[in-house]
Amino acid sequence: MPQRFHTRLMQPADWDEVAQLIYNSLNVWYEKNRGFKLVTGSWETMRIFPEVYEALDPNCCVLVVETQTSRIAGSCFFHVRSKHVALGILNTHPDFFNCGVASMLQRYVMDVADRENKPLRLVSGATNVDSFSLYNRNGFVPTCFYQDMIVKVPADGFPVPLEDGIAVRNAVESDIPAMVALEEELTGVEREKDYRFFLKNEGGIWHTSVLLTSDNKLGGFIASVCHPGSNMLGPGVARCEEYASALLRFELNQHIGRSPVFLIPSRCKKLTADMYSIGAKNCELHISQVRGEEFPQTGIVFPTFMPETA
């Protein structure tokens, strides 16, 4: 007898079905467990995932397909970088919940990481016990607890208090080497490809800011996306909480009248207090996890889910 499911890589003809799968998967889970829909727009907004991820990393979305019907039962985006592999958004169609689809997707990406001999990283929901267990039983270890915050940016923006000699400005292409070096120093992760993608900004949905210290060295940076399917800050890093606050405020000011989401480490008392002071509220909780060697992180890390490269 043929197996019920098989895996294959996503093709352009699959984009609409994958977008609908992500839309349905997220909304069914949130309606069942939280009482509201997470994605309030149409399913077409979820095309941002195949569109962005295929532009950034072609052939890096694995599908689980029902063999008899050719229906897509699940999808998972992944990203191979020089020092790690990232496990991105993973979804199972509601019609195939509890059929082992998520485990098949996870196993495929774990095999990619094993062949690359690199650690596998992700940021997963802290309140979804089934999701946590799926990763934890396969060797993923929690490394940092994050709180997702959301805030409405007023018409005049937020003040950006800066110490003497500190400056925050829009990033330019010549900043990329310093951005890459800073992130590698603080996290052990290298993502030059991602930052060149943001600053090229062919889709017109990205913005990136940098913070310079009094001696004109890079103290931090943060990117953001503004799209009907995703309005988030990150990825980015900062050397200290003061730099992180300034970067967040400056980047939030690029989204006047909107309500972007951003993730910050809960251990950062000054940073969380500052975000509360501008009216930010918690809307979700996440945990970073790693399977394999973990580089000791220093400084402040801003994860994101668009694009999700852990």
Side-chain angles (χ1 to χ4, degrees), residues 246-289:
L247 279 165
L248 283 171
R249 286 169 174 255
F250 186 88
E251 194 62 26
L252 284 167
N253 288 347
Q254 312 308 311
H255 302 271
I256 297 294
R258 301 187 181 92
S259 300
V261 174
F262 53 93
L263 275 66
I264 58 175
S266 292
R267 61 178 170 79
C268 299
K269 295 181 180 180
K270 292 181 180 179
L271 178 58
T272 55
D274 186 52
M275 293 301 102
Y276 285 132
S277 76
I278 63 173
K281 297 180 179 180
N282 295 309
C283 58
E284 186 60 277
L285 302 171
H286 280 85
I287 306 171
S288 60
Q289 300 188 61

Side-chain angles (χ1 to χ4, degrees), residues 11 23 47 55 62 68 106-108 147 152 161 164 166 173 175 209 239 248 258 260 302-303 308:
Q11 303 300 315
Y23 176 88
R47 275 184 59 97
V62 59
Q68 187 173 0
Q106 185 189 72
R107 171 49 60 189
Y108 184 98
Q147 54 200 76
K152 179 68 175 290
D164 289 344
I166 305 295
E173 187 175 0
D175 292 318
S209 303
R239 287 195 179 277
L248 283 171
R258 301 187 181 92
F302 306 113
E308 192 172 32

Side-chain angles (χ1 to χ4, degrees), residues 108-126:
Y108 184 98
V109 182
M110 288 193 300
D111 288 345
V112 171
D114 289 345
R115 288 195 299 271
E116 293 278 336
N117 193 29
K118 295 174 181 176
L120 181 57
R121 301 162 58 100
L122 80 151
V123 178
S124 63

Side-chain angles (χ1 to χ4, degrees), residues 169-242:
R169 60 165 171 77
N170 297 337
V172 295
E173 187 175 0
S174 59
D175 292 318
I176 292 176
M179 292 165 60
V180 173
L182 180 63
E183 184 171 43
E184 191 165 359
E185 174 192 340
L186 297 181
T187 71
V189 168
E190 181 277 310
R191 294 189 287 193
E192 180 175 352
K193 182 179 184 180
D194 300 58
Y195 302 124
R196 293 199 178 278
F197 181 80
F198 298 155
L199 287 175
K200 194 173 182 180
N201 197 17
E202 289 186 343
I205 61 175
W206 309 101
H207 184 270
T208 308
S209 303
V210 295
L211 181 145
L212 301 176
T213 63
S214 57
D215 54 0
N216 205 38
K217 292 184 178 179
L218 189 67
F221 66 88
I222 190 168
S224 66
V225 60
C226 184
H227 181 277
S230 182
N231 189 192
M232 286 196 71
L233 274 58
V237 296
R239 287 195 179 277
C240 63
E241 294 185 50
E242 291 77 14

Side-chain angles (χ1 to χ4, degrees), residues 6 15 64 303:
H6 65 275
W15 288 13
V64 168

